[in-house]
PDB file of all heavy atoms in Angstrom:
ATOM      1  N   ASP Y 346      81.113  12.916 166.954  1.00 98.00           N
ATOM      2  CA  ASP Y 346      80.874  11.497 167.380  1.00 98.00           C
ATOM      3  C   ASP Y 346      79.394  11.223 167.443  1.00 98.00           C
ATOM      4  O   ASP Y 346      78.857  10.778 168.405  1.00 98.00           O
ATOM      5  CB  ASP Y 346      81.552  11.265 168.689  1.00 98.00           C
ATOM      6  CG  ASP Y 346      83.091  11.597 168.628  1.00 98.00           C
ATOM      7  OD1 ASP Y 346      83.822  10.632 168.272  1.00 98.00           O
ATOM      8  OD2 ASP Y 346      83.417  12.764 168.938  1.00 98.00           O
ATOM      9  N   THR Y 347      78.761  11.393 166.286  1.00 98.00           N
ATOM     10  CA  THR Y 347      77.319  11.130 166.312  1.00 98.00           C
ATOM     11  C   THR Y 347      76.980  10.492 164.978  1.00 98.00           C
ATOM     12  O   THR Y 347      77.764  10.254 164.112  1.00 98.00           O
ATOM     13  CB  THR Y 347      76.583  12.489 166.552  1.00 98.00           C
ATOM     14  OG1 THR Y 347      75.175  12.243 166.788  1.00 98.00           O
ATOM     15  CG2 THR Y 347      76.749  13.504 165.361  1.00 98.00           C
ATOM     16  N   ASN Y 348      75.610  10.217 164.774  1.00 97.00           N
ATOM     17  CA  ASN Y 348      75.205   9.792 163.408  1.00 97.00           C
ATOM     18  C   ASN Y 348      73.756  10.073 163.206  1.00 97.00           C
ATOM     19  O   ASN Y 348      73.121  10.651 164.017  1.00 97.00           O
ATOM     20  CB  ASN Y 348      75.478   8.233 163.272  1.00 97.00           C
ATOM     21  CG  ASN Y 348      74.586   7.446 164.152  1.00 97.00           C
ATOM     22  OD1 ASN Y 348      73.380   7.731 164.255  1.00 97.00           O
ATOM     23  ND2 ASN Y 348      75.155   6.378 164.714  1.00 97.00           N
ATOM     24  N   CYS Y 349      73.385   9.777 161.880  1.00 98.00           N
ATOM     25  CA  CYS Y 349      71.973  10.222 161.563  1.00 98.00           C
ATOM     26  C   CYS Y 349      70.996   9.036 161.480  1.00 98.00           C
ATOM     27  O   CYS Y 349      69.874   9.205 161.218  1.00 98.00           O
ATOM     28  CB  CYS Y 349      72.014  10.969 160.213  1.00 98.00           C
ATOM     29  SG  CYS Y 349      72.819  10.030 158.901  1.00 98.00           S
ATOM     30  N   ILE Y 350      71.618   7.874 161.610  1.00 98.00           N
ATOM     31  CA  ILE Y 350      70.669   6.676 161.360  1.00 98.00           C
ATOM     32  C   ILE Y 350      69.892   6.414 162.696  1.00 98.00           C
ATOM     33  O   ILE Y 350      70.298   6.773 163.745  1.00 98.00           O
ATOM     34  CB  ILE Y 350      71.460   5.427 161.045  1.00 98.00           C
ATOM     35  CG1 ILE Y 350      72.594   5.019 162.037  1.00 98.00           C
ATOM     36  CG2 ILE Y 350      72.111   5.577 159.595  1.00 98.00           C
ATOM     37  CD1 ILE Y 350      73.174   3.687 161.826  1.00 98.00           C
ATOM     38  N   ALA Y 351      68.771   5.671 162.461  1.00 98.00           N
ATOM     39  CA  ALA Y 351      68.016   5.221 163.645  1.00 98.00           C
ATOM     40  C   ALA Y 351      68.617   3.926 164.212  1.00 98.00           C
ATOM     41  O   ALA Y 351      69.420   3.341 163.573  1.00 98.00           O
ATOM     42  CB  ALA Y 351      66.592   5.015 163.265  1.00 98.00           C
ATOM     43  N   ASP Y 352      68.237   3.489 165.350  1.00 98.00           N
ATOM     44  CA  ASP Y 352      68.645   2.230 165.937  1.00 98.00           C
ATOM     45  C   ASP Y 352      68.131   1.033 165.044  1.00 98.00           C
ATOM     46  O   ASP Y 352      66.919   1.110 164.719  1.00 98.00           O
ATOM     47  CB  ASP Y 352      68.082   2.058 167.332  1.00 98.00           C
ATOM     48  CG  ASP Y 352      69.092   2.586 168.344  1.00 98.00           C
ATOM     49  OD1 ASP Y 352      70.058   3.163 167.996  1.00 98.00           O
ATOM     50  OD2 ASP Y 352      68.921   2.172 169.563  1.00 98.00           O
ATOM     51  N   SER Y 353      69.022   0.119 164.736  1.00 97.00           N
ATOM     52  CA  SER Y 353      68.472  -1.060 164.152  1.00 97.00           C
ATOM     53  C   SER Y 353      67.789  -1.988 165.173  1.00 97.00           C
ATOM     54  O   SER Y 353      67.773  -1.634 166.398  1.00 97.00           O
ATOM     55  CB  SER Y 353      69.725  -1.928 163.607  1.00 97.00           C
ATOM     56  OG  SER Y 353      70.535  -2.313 164.747  1.00 97.00           O
ATOM     57  N   SER Y 354      67.172  -3.008 164.754  1.00 98.00           N
ATOM     58  CA  SER Y 354      66.370  -3.833 165.781  1.00 98.00           C
ATOM     59  C   SER Y 354      67.352  -4.491 166.696  1.00 98.00           C
ATOM     60  O   SER Y 354      67.064  -4.582 167.893  1.00 98.00           O
ATOM     61  CB  SER Y 354      65.542  -4.912 164.982  1.00 98.00           C
ATOM     62  OG  SER Y 354      66.349  -5.613 164.084  1.00 98.00           O
ATOM     63  N   VAL Y 355      68.590  -4.787 166.267  1.00 98.00           N
ATOM     64  CA  VAL Y 355      69.562  -5.305 167.213  1.00 98.00           C
ATOM     65  C   VAL Y 355      69.934  -4.246 168.206  1.00 98.00           C
ATOM     66  O   VAL Y 355      70.075  -4.534 169.434  1.00 98.00           O
ATOM     67  CB  VAL Y 355      70.877  -5.794 166.424  1.00 98.00           C
ATOM     68  CG1 VAL Y 355      71.949  -6.251 167.253  1.00 98.00           C
ATOM     69  CG2 VAL Y 355      70.473  -6.974 165.416  1.00 98.00           C
ATOM     70  N   ALA Y 356      70.165  -2.971 167.770  1.00 98.00           N
ATOM     71  CA  ALA Y 356      70.556  -2.010 168.599  1.00 98.00           C
ATOM     72  C   ALA Y 356      69.438  -1.684 169.731  1.00 98.00           C
ATOM     73  O   ALA Y 356      69.700  -1.407 170.876  1.00 98.00           O
ATOM     74  CB  ALA Y 356      70.902  -0.745 167.892  1.00 98.00           C
ATOM     75  N   LYS Y 357      68.230  -1.707 169.256  1.00 98.00           N
ATOM     76  CA  LYS Y 357      67.043  -1.570 170.012  1.00 98.00           C
ATOM     77  C   LYS Y 357      67.115  -2.573 171.201  1.00 98.00           C
ATOM     78  O   LYS Y 357      66.773  -2.248 172.372  1.00 98.00           O
ATOM     79  CB  LYS Y 357      65.697  -1.595 169.283  1.00 98.00           C
ATOM     80  CG  LYS Y 357      65.370  -0.276 168.554  1.00 98.00           C
ATOM     81  CD  LYS Y 357      64.016  -0.501 167.880  1.00 98.00           C
ATOM     82  CE  LYS Y 357      63.809   0.429 166.720  1.00 98.00           C
ATOM     83  NZ  LYS Y 357      63.216   1.749 167.116  1.00 98.00           N
ATOM     84  N   GLU Y 358      67.305  -3.816 170.725  1.00 98.00           N
ATOM     85  CA  GLU Y 358      67.302  -4.840 171.698  1.00 98.00           C
ATOM     86  C   GLU Y 358      68.369  -4.742 172.789  1.00 98.00           C
ATOM     87  O   GLU Y 358      68.080  -4.912 173.906  1.00 98.00           O
ATOM     88  CB  GLU Y 358      67.608  -6.166 170.938  1.00 98.00           C
ATOM     89  CG  GLU Y 358      66.628  -7.392 171.430  1.00 98.00           C
ATOM     90  CD  GLU Y 358      66.765  -8.576 170.412  1.00 98.00           C
ATOM     91  OE1 GLU Y 358      65.999  -8.525 169.395  1.00 98.00           O
ATOM     92  OE2 GLU Y 358      67.659  -9.445 170.720  1.00 98.00           O
ATOM     93  N   LYS Y 359      69.516  -4.289 172.313  1.00 97.00           N
ATOM     94  CA  LYS Y 359      70.689  -3.996 173.278  1.00 97.00           C
ATOM     95  C   LYS Y 359      70.247  -2.936 174.286  1.00 97.00           C
ATOM     96  O   LYS Y 359      70.632  -3.096 175.435  1.00 97.00           O
ATOM     97  CB  LYS Y 359      71.902  -3.490 172.461  1.00 97.00           C
ATOM     98  CG  LYS Y 359      72.764  -4.615 172.010  1.00 97.00           C
ATOM     99  CD  LYS Y 359      74.121  -3.931 171.688  1.00 97.00           C
ATOM    100  CE  LYS Y 359      75.073  -4.888 170.910  1.00 97.00           C
ATOM    101  NZ  LYS Y 359      76.103  -4.247 170.238  1.00 97.00           N
ATOM    102  N   ARG Y 360      69.573  -1.918 173.836  1.00 98.00           N
ATOM    103  CA  ARG Y 360      69.076  -0.879 174.754  1.00 98.00           C
ATOM    104  C   ARG Y 360      68.060  -1.481 175.769  1.00 98.00           C
ATOM    105  O   ARG Y 360      68.184  -1.192 176.921  1.00 98.00           O
ATOM    106  CB  ARG Y 360      68.398   0.247 173.993  1.00 98.00           C
ATOM    107  CG  ARG Y 360      69.257   0.875 172.848  1.00 98.00           C
ATOM    108  CD  ARG Y 360      69.433   2.287 173.183  1.00 98.00           C
ATOM    109  NE  ARG Y 360      69.811   3.002 171.934  1.00 98.00           N
ATOM    110  CZ  ARG Y 360      70.976   3.773 171.831  1.00 98.00           C
ATOM    111  NH1 ARG Y 360      71.716   3.854 172.970  1.00 98.00           N
ATOM    112  NH2 ARG Y 360      71.288   4.415 170.780  1.00 98.00           N
ATOM    113  N   MET Y 361      67.208  -2.407 175.358  1.00 98.00           N
ATOM    114  CA  MET Y 361      66.160  -2.953 176.232  1.00 98.00           C
ATOM    115  C   MET Y 361      66.952  -3.782 177.233  1.00 98.00           C
ATOM    116  O   MET Y 361      66.624  -3.811 178.477  1.00 98.00           O
ATOM    117  CB  MET Y 361      65.149  -3.695 175.462  1.00 98.00           C
ATOM    118  CG  MET Y 361      64.200  -2.932 174.608  1.00 98.00           C
ATOM    119  SD  MET Y 361      63.594  -1.381 175.329  1.00 98.00           S
ATOM    120  CE  MET Y 361      64.227  -0.145 174.278  1.00 98.00           C
ATOM    121  N   LYS Y 362      67.928  -4.565 176.767  1.00 98.00           N
ATOM    122  CA  LYS Y 362      68.736  -5.381 177.696  1.00 98.00           C
ATOM    123  C   LYS Y 362      69.459  -4.422 178.755  1.00 98.00           C
ATOM    124  O   LYS Y 362      69.656  -4.749 179.935  1.00 98.00           O
ATOM    125  CB  LYS Y 362      69.833  -6.143 176.902  1.00 98.00           C
ATOM    126  CG  LYS Y 362      69.385  -7.326 176.313  1.00 98.00           C
ATOM    127  CD  LYS Y 362      69.972  -8.643 176.838  1.00 98.00           C
ATOM    128  CE  LYS Y 362      69.058  -9.868 176.627  1.00 98.00           C
ATOM    129  NZ  LYS Y 362      68.905 -10.175 175.202  1.00 98.00           N
ATOM    130  N   ALA Y 363      70.006  -3.340 178.173  1.00 98.00           N
ATOM    131  CA  ALA Y 363      70.700  -2.498 179.088  1.00 98.00           C
ATOM    132  C   ALA Y 363      69.698  -1.912 180.253  1.00 98.00           C
ATOM    133  O   ALA Y 363      70.117  -1.825 181.480  1.00 98.00           O
ATOM    134  CB  ALA Y 363      71.308  -1.238 178.397  1.00 98.00           C
ATOM    135  N   ILE Y 364      68.481  -1.613 179.822  1.00 98.00           N
ATOM    136  CA  ILE Y 364      67.527  -1.149 180.858  1.00 98.00           C
ATOM    137  C   ILE Y 364      67.294  -2.185 181.927  1.00 98.00           C
ATOM    138  O   ILE Y 364      67.258  -1.959 183.066  1.00 98.00           O
ATOM    139  CB  ILE Y 364      66.205  -0.789 180.167  1.00 98.00           C
ATOM    140  CG1 ILE Y 364      66.406   0.524 179.237  1.00 98.00           C
ATOM    141  CG2 ILE Y 364      65.036  -0.577 181.034  1.00 98.00           C
ATOM    142  CD1 ILE Y 364      65.179   0.917 178.349  1.00 98.00           C
ATOM    143  N   GLU Y 365      67.112  -3.456 181.463  1.00 98.00           N
ATOM    144  CA  GLU Y 365      66.875  -4.606 182.355  1.00 98.00           C
ATOM    145  C   GLU Y 365      68.116  -4.703 183.322  1.00 98.00           C
ATOM    146  O   GLU Y 365      67.942  -4.837 184.539  1.00 98.00           O
ATOM    147  CB  GLU Y 365      66.884  -5.908 181.555  1.00 98.00           C
ATOM    148  CG  GLU Y 365      65.406  -6.321 181.197  1.00 98.00           C
ATOM    149  CD  GLU Y 365      65.485  -7.471 180.263  1.00 98.00           C
ATOM    150  OE1 GLU Y 365      66.228  -8.466 180.550  1.00 98.00           O
ATOM    151  OE2 GLU Y 365      64.703  -7.526 179.272  1.00 98.00           O
ATOM    152  N   ASN Y 366      69.292  -4.702 182.727  1.00 97.00           N
ATOM    153  CA  ASN Y 366      70.538  -4.798 183.568  1.00 97.00           C
ATOM    154  C   ASN Y 366      70.673  -3.708 184.630  1.00 97.00           C
ATOM    155  O   ASN Y 366      71.114  -3.963 185.700  1.00 97.00           O
ATOM    156  CB  ASN Y 366      71.770  -4.719 182.651  1.00 97.00           C
ATOM    157  CG  ASN Y 366      71.892  -6.107 181.932  1.00 97.00           C
ATOM    158  OD1 ASN Y 366      71.388  -7.128 182.296  1.00 97.00           O
ATOM    159  ND2 ASN Y 366      72.671  -6.066 180.851  1.00 97.00           N
ATOM    160  N   ILE Y 367      70.385  -2.409 184.130  1.00 98.00           N
ATOM    161  CA  ILE Y 367      70.472  -1.331 185.022  1.00 98.00           C
ATOM    162  C   ILE Y 367      69.508  -1.579 186.201  1.00 98.00           C
ATOM    163  O   ILE Y 367      69.822  -1.390 187.405  1.00 98.00           O
ATOM    164  CB  ILE Y 367      70.149  -0.026 184.405  1.00 98.00           C
ATOM    165  CG1 ILE Y 367      71.282   0.369 183.427  1.00 98.00           C
ATOM    166  CG2 ILE Y 367      70.012   1.242 185.382  1.00 98.00           C
ATOM    167  CD1 ILE Y 367      70.912   1.538 182.426  1.00 98.00           C
ATOM    168  N   ARG Y 368      68.262  -1.964 185.824  1.00 97.00           N
ATOM    169  CA  ARG Y 368      67.223  -2.188 186.950  1.00 97.00           C
ATOM    170  C   ARG Y 368      67.616  -3.274 187.939  1.00 97.00           C
ATOM    171  O   ARG Y 368      67.414  -3.281 189.089  1.00 97.00           O
ATOM    172  CB  ARG Y 368      65.946  -2.397 186.329  1.00 97.00           C
ATOM    173  CG  ARG Y 368      65.302  -1.208 185.575  1.00 97.00           C
ATOM    174  CD  ARG Y 368      63.833  -1.036 185.706  1.00 97.00           C
ATOM    175  NE  ARG Y 368      63.420   0.264 185.320  1.00 97.00           N
ATOM    176  CZ  ARG Y 368      62.808   0.629 184.253  1.00 97.00           C
ATOM    177  NH1 ARG Y 368      62.477  -0.287 183.276  1.00 97.00           N
ATOM    178  NH2 ARG Y 368      62.454   1.874 183.935  1.00 97.00           N
ATOM    179  N   GLU Y 369      68.270  -4.345 187.334  1.00 97.00           N
ATOM    180  CA  GLU Y 369      68.606  -5.543 188.112  1.00 97.00           C
ATOM    181  C   GLU Y 369      69.947  -5.320 188.854  1.00 97.00           C
ATOM    182  O   GLU Y 369      70.017  -5.581 190.057  1.00 97.00           O
ATOM    183  CB  GLU Y 369      68.925  -6.783 187.163  1.00 97.00           C
ATOM    184  CG  GLU Y 369      67.662  -7.704 187.239  1.00 97.00           C
ATOM    185  CD  GLU Y 369      67.882  -8.742 186.255  1.00 97.00           C
ATOM    186  OE1 GLU Y 369      68.986  -9.315 186.194  1.00 97.00           O
ATOM    187  OE2 GLU Y 369      66.913  -9.056 185.477  1.00 97.00           O
ATOM    188  N   ASN Y 370      70.997  -4.764 188.192  1.00 96.00           N
ATOM    189  CA  ASN Y 370      72.364  -4.713 188.811  1.00 96.00           C
ATOM    190  C   ASN Y 370      72.811  -3.332 189.257  1.00 96.00           C
ATOM    191  O   ASN Y 370      73.861  -3.174 189.671  1.00 96.00           O
ATOM    192  CB  ASN Y 370      73.313  -5.301 187.801  1.00 96.00           C
ATOM    193  CG  ASN Y 370      72.935  -6.643 187.228  1.00 96.00           C
ATOM    194  OD1 ASN Y 370      72.481  -7.474 188.103  1.00 96.00           O
ATOM    195  ND2 ASN Y 370      72.994  -6.945 186.060  1.00 96.00           N
ATOM    196  N   GLY Y 371      71.993  -2.343 188.866  1.00 96.00           N
ATOM    197  CA  GLY Y 371      72.391  -0.938 189.301  1.00 96.00           C
ATOM    198  C   GLY Y 371      73.213  -0.201 188.279  1.00 96.00           C
ATOM    199  O   GLY Y 371      73.764  -0.756 187.342  1.00 96.00           O
ATOM    200  N   VAL Y 372      73.496   1.002 188.639  1.00 97.00           N
ATOM    201  CA  VAL Y 372      74.222   1.922 187.741  1.00 97.00           C
ATOM    202  C   VAL Y 372      75.691   1.718 187.612  1.00 97.00           C
ATOM    203  O   VAL Y 372      76.332   1.876 186.581  1.00 97.00           O
ATOM    204  CB  VAL Y 372      73.993   3.394 188.191  1.00 97.00           C
ATOM    205  CG1 VAL Y 372      74.535   4.336 187.160  1.00 97.00           C
ATOM    206  CG2 VAL Y 372      72.573   3.667 188.415  1.00 97.00           C
ATOM    207  N   GLU Y 373      76.262   1.324 188.854  1.00 97.00           N
ATOM    208  CA  GLU Y 373      77.860   1.176 188.834  1.00 97.00           C
ATOM    209  C   GLU Y 373      78.204   0.149 187.776  1.00 97.00           C
ATOM    210  O   GLU Y 373      79.169   0.435 187.061  1.00 97.00           O
ATOM    211  CB  GLU Y 373      78.147   0.676 190.207  1.00 97.00           C
ATOM    212  CG  GLU Y 373      79.621   0.387 190.474  1.00 97.00           C
ATOM    213  CD  GLU Y 373      80.265   1.706 191.110  1.00 97.00           C
ATOM    214  OE1 GLU Y 373      79.609   2.575 191.598  1.00 97.00           O
ATOM    215  OE2 GLU Y 373      81.476   1.783 190.878  1.00 97.00           O
TER     216      GLU Y 373
END
Side-chain angles (χ1 to χ4, degrees):
D346 302 273
T347 193
N348 73 38
C349 57
I350 58 168
D352 268 12
S353 64
S354 51
V355 175
K357 278 181 202 277
E358 222 168 276
K359 269 196 190 163
R360 304 241 196 232
M361 296 312 122
K362 280 249 154 63
I364 291 174
E365 268 173 42
N366 285 341
I367 292 167
R368 293 211 163 111
E369 260 176 41
N370 306 317
V372 187
E373 181 90 20

